[in-house]
Amino acid sequence: MKLKAEFITHKGQGSQEEQVMVSTDTKLFSGLVRSNSTASFIIDCLKQETTQEAIVEAMSAEYDAPKERIEQDVAKIIAQLRSIGAIDG
């Protein structure tokens, strides 16, 4: 799966915490998505072809959190991104 090319992201200057995402095709999604650091990490992973399992592994290496919690967070964010049509595959 991968973030659709029509969705572009931007992190605020000097901000590691917040990322915004918009669609260049308003037929796909019309609005602005603001992401916290967890969602931002997941979206950054989705800029390349990946799997849910690979994202969980990358987050486990980056964050000190129980794997179950990471799996839940990744599944939730991916479901939200799918609901707005942001993911291919």
Side-chain angles (χ1 to χ4, degrees):
M1 77 183 127
K2 184 177 179 182
L3 189 67
K4 288 184 179 177
E6 294 86 1
F7 284 82
I8 57 173
T9 63
H10 176 75
K11 287 186 181 177
Q13 185 175 6
S15 174
Q16 294 296 329
E17 296 297 315
E18 185 177 283
Q19 180 180 62
V20 294
M21 180 173 69
V22 296
S23 174
T24 58
D25 183 351
T26 57
K27 292 177 185 167
L28 286 174
F29 178 76
S30 179
L32 176 72
V33 177
R34 294 178 83 140
S35 303
N36 63 17
S37 60
T38 301
S40 178
F41 186 94
I42 294 167
I43 290 168
D44 286 344
C45 289
L46 288 165
K47 291 179 180 178
Q48 300 151 35
E49 187 66 35
T50 191
T51 64
Q52 187 166 328
E53 295 78 18
I55 295 171
V56 168
E57 292 304 317
M59 286 194 73
S60 293
E62 183 74 19
Y63 295 99
D64 182 26
K67 191 167 185 176
E68 283 181 3
R69 178 62 190 201
I70 291 172
E71 289 170 338
Q72 292 170 355
D73 289 347
V74 170
K76 180 181 176 182
I77 298 299
I78 288 173
Q80 290 173 335
L81 292 171
R82 284 190 195 283
S83 76
I84 64 168
I87 298 178
D88 273 331

